[in-house]
Amino acid sequence: MKIKETRFIHESKLKDLCNENGIEYSSLTTLINSVKTKKLLKRNNYHQQTINDIIENSTK
């Protein structure tokens, strides 16, 4: 039960920080998930491609 509560608190703090700094929460979570995937699969190309896609979409 503590893990779920801690995760919820961390997500809410992250959402607040994103709102304060004007950052899209969805793009930030996508980057976090790509880092997790990189660590699990040890694929640098996937992580770099995800970063490139997010930067490309935000600049359009």
Side-chain angles (χ1 to χ4, degrees), residues 3-56:
I3 295 172
K4 290 181 181 180
E5 292 172 1
T6 306
R7 184 175 181 173
F8 178 74
I9 291 170
H10 285 210
E11 285 181 2
S12 63
K13 286 182 182 178
L14 185 63
K15 286 180 184 177
D16 291 339
L17 286 172
C18 287
N19 289 334
E20 289 175 6
N21 296 319
I23 300 170
E24 292 182 28
Y25 176 74
S26 61
S27 63
L28 190 61
T29 54
T30 304
L31 287 174
I32 291 171
N33 288 334
S34 71
V35 170
K36 288 179 188 176
T37 305
K38 176 188 169 194
K39 288 181 181 180
L40 290 175
L41 300 176
K42 296 184 179 182
R43 288 186 170 172
N44 295 333
N45 190 23
Y46 175 77
H47 181 64
Q48 187 62 41
Q49 185 62 38
T50 305
I51 290 172
N52 290 341
D53 290 343
I54 289 176
I55 291 172
E56 230 176 75

